[in-house]
Amino acid sequence: MQWTVPDIRKELSRYTRGDPHLTAQPVGGPLDEAAVAVRRIIEALARSSPDAAHLPGATAELERIAASFEDRIRPVALQLSEMWRGEGIARHDPATGPENPIAPPLSMHDAGDGWAEGTVTLGLPYQGPPGNVHGGVCALLLDAALAVANHLAGTNGMTAQLDVTYTLPTPLYVPLTVRAKQLRQDGRKRYTVGEIVADGQVRATANGLFIAPPASSGKGGSA
Amino acid sequence: MQWTVPDIRKELSRYTRGDPHLTAQPVGGPLDEAAVAVRRIIEALARSSPDAAHLPGATAELERIAASFEDRIRPVALQLSEMWRGEGIARHDPATGPENPIAPPLSMHDAGDGWAEGTVTLGLPYQGPPGNVHGGVCALLLDAALAVANHLAGTNGMTAQLDVTYTLPTPLYVPLTVRAKQLRQDGRKRYTVGEIVADGQVRATANGLFIAPPASSGKGGSA
């Protein structure tokens, strides 16, 4: 690795009790707006005919925009330290980040009683089996949701184990409720669960074990 | 759901024994090329300063391109039936698909002895902890790899259970080897394992249980 990772442990748990938003919210900034436009392009590509006449021209334009961005990008080391200075649950997260076009994004709020909850609708770019969400994308949403629930409970940690059970297919183009809650702590271990619900039926559940960094051990109280 | 999902079960297991590629390969088609350009934009956005002067202008161009695509997109029902007519392991998969800008993409080949293997390098858009791959993205890659290993073994199935163990952080900007193998079959059950390796060290492992559709039960031989 050619960069120094900033020590942002302290900054990872910045949740302010009472703030209804647990994930970074769109602020209409230039990166948010660019991400929204790129998401529209990703969805439209998934719904395009491969022989659509406009594709080559549009691709040439996209390549020109990519090159113009690339002329101005920051070194990874600088961007790494800059991008982590902001909100604890990051604006660039691949599941929840409003600035990341890969993210749907999943926005989560404090639903009370320790539950973090959000609603998201996924289109064809997230497809696995025909008409349904990719199992790995369900796992991505659940891992992110469990991390948000840990954030709500006061301590984050690295994912050590994530077990996902798929009970029913998760449909595309149907609002999905994603919720998670930290059940208990044991030393540096955090035990957290979550689920994805569509049309009132549980589609996938997750059990996660997270290990908090030594410095935050015990923070957020024991369960 | 407002569409009829095509019955493509038979088409899901089209792997031709001896074909070295287990995932759809880039063919330089218009959708592949558009996806490459959008991936470059996604990476560049993750490395852009939020106050970069060129962002608003570039975003306006992206919005114009998005609108021009949206004028020509197909209804979901039509696209669903069209996009599944092609290769068994799909060109639009969010982990392996060359036509999907969300996918890195992970390209996998037959590594012998039942192993499917591929190499992929992930940048900032896939970041979880600082400098490392998001745990949910690791799960996405592993779920996809296990599905590819099932494809290699002759029968696909829906993910029923995916257990991921994270042993070490998975670094960004370092080539990752992702490999998977179907260990055994029991009726319609498929037991499949996989791992992500970087710098010679295992970063994450997965155990998956997949359920094959009734029609293909027993196909591909029993283990």
Side-chain angles (χ1 to χ4, degrees), chain B residues 79-132:
Chain B
Q79 184 69 353
L80 253 185
S81 53
E82 286 297 316
M83 77 197 312
W84 284 96
R85 284 191 198 286
E87 301 174 57
I89 295 290
R91 300 195 63 77
H92 46 80
D93 184 90
T96 66
E99 292 180 3
N100 191 336
I102 289 176
L106 171 65
S107 171
M108 299 190 79
H109 62 272
D110 181 350
D113 194 30
W115 286 94
E117 188 174 299
T119 304
V120 69
T121 302
L122 302 180
L124 285 175
Y126 302 96
Q127 182 179 238
N132 291 293

Side-chain angles (χ1 to χ4, degrees), chain A residues 99-115:
Chain A
E99 292 180 3
N100 191 337
I102 288 176
L106 171 65
S107 171
M108 300 190 79
H109 62 271
D110 180 351
D113 195 30
W115 286 94

Side-chain angles (χ1 to χ4, degrees), chain B residues 68-192:
Chain B
S68 86
F69 273 111
E70 286 163 354
D71 282 345
R72 295 164 173 89
I73 57 178
R74 295 163 155 184
V76 170
L78 172 61
Q79 184 69 353
L80 253 185
S81 53
E82 286 297 316
M83 77 197 312
W84 284 96
R85 284 191 198 286
E87 301 174 57
I89 295 290
R91 300 195 63 77
H92 46 80
D93 184 90
T96 66
E99 292 180 3
N100 191 336
I102 289 176
L106 171 65
S107 171
M108 299 190 79
H109 62 272
D110 181 350
D113 194 30
W115 286 94
E117 188 174 299
T119 304
V120 69
T121 302
L122 302 180
L124 285 175
Y126 302 96
Q127 182 179 238
N132 291 293
V133 180
H134 194 288
V137 172
C138 291
L140 168 60
L141 291 180
L142 286 165
D143 182 60
L146 269 55
V148 171
N150 289 336
H151 179 64
L152 174 62
T155 46
N156 285 294
M158 299 278 285
T159 314
Q161 180 76 31
L162 180 74
D163 296 344
V164 182
T165 304
Y166 300 85
T167 47
L168 283 173
T170 300
L172 297 176
Y173 298 107
V174 169
L176 308 177
T177 299
V178 184
R179 59 172 71 99
K181 177 177 179 167
Q182 188 182 98
L183 291 187
R184 63 191 180 90
Q185 304 184 356
D186 176 12
R188 288 169 55 198
K189 294 178 181 170
R190 308 287 180 260
Y191 296 89
T192 310

Side-chain angles (χ1 to χ4, degrees), chain A residues 134-155:
Chain A
H134 194 289
V137 172
C138 291
L140 167 60
L141 291 180
L142 286 165
D143 181 62
L146 269 54
V148 171
N150 289 335
H151 178 65
L152 173 60
T155 45

Side-chain angles (χ1 to χ4, degrees), chain A residues 104-173:
Chain A
L106 171 65
S107 171
M108 300 190 79
H109 62 271
D110 180 351
D113 195 30
W115 286 94
E117 187 174 300
T119 304
V120 70
T121 302
L122 301 180
L124 285 176
Y126 302 96
Q127 182 180 237
N132 290 293
V133 180
H134 194 289
V137 172
C138 291
L140 167 60
L141 291 180
L142 286 165
D143 181 62
L146 269 54
V148 171
N150 289 335
H151 178 65
L152 173 60
T155 45
N156 285 294
M158 300 278 284
T159 314
Q161 180 77 32
L162 180 74
D163 296 345
V164 182
T165 304
Y166 300 85
T167 48
L168 283 173
T170 300
L172 297 176
Y173 298 107

Side-chain angles (χ1 to χ4, degrees), chain A residues 52-145:
Chain A
H54 68 293
L55 268 178
T59 298
E61 286 189 273
L62 290 169
E63 287 169 349
R64 191 174 42 71
I65 295 172
S68 87
F69 272 111
E70 286 163 353
D71 282 344
R72 296 166 172 87
I73 57 179
R74 295 165 155 183
V76 171
L78 173 60
Q79 185 67 355
L80 252 185
S81 53
E82 287 297 316
M83 78 197 312
W84 286 96
R85 282 191 201 288
E87 300 174 58
I89 295 290
R91 301 195 64 76
H92 47 81
D93 185 89
T96 66
E99 292 180 3
N100 191 337
I102 288 176
L106 171 65
S107 171
M108 300 190 79
H109 62 271
D110 180 351
D113 195 30
W115 286 94
E117 187 174 300
T119 304
V120 70
T121 302
L122 301 180
L124 285 176
Y126 302 96
Q127 182 180 237
N132 290 293
V133 180
H134 194 289
V137 172
C138 291
L140 167 60
L141 291 180
L142 286 165
D143 181 62

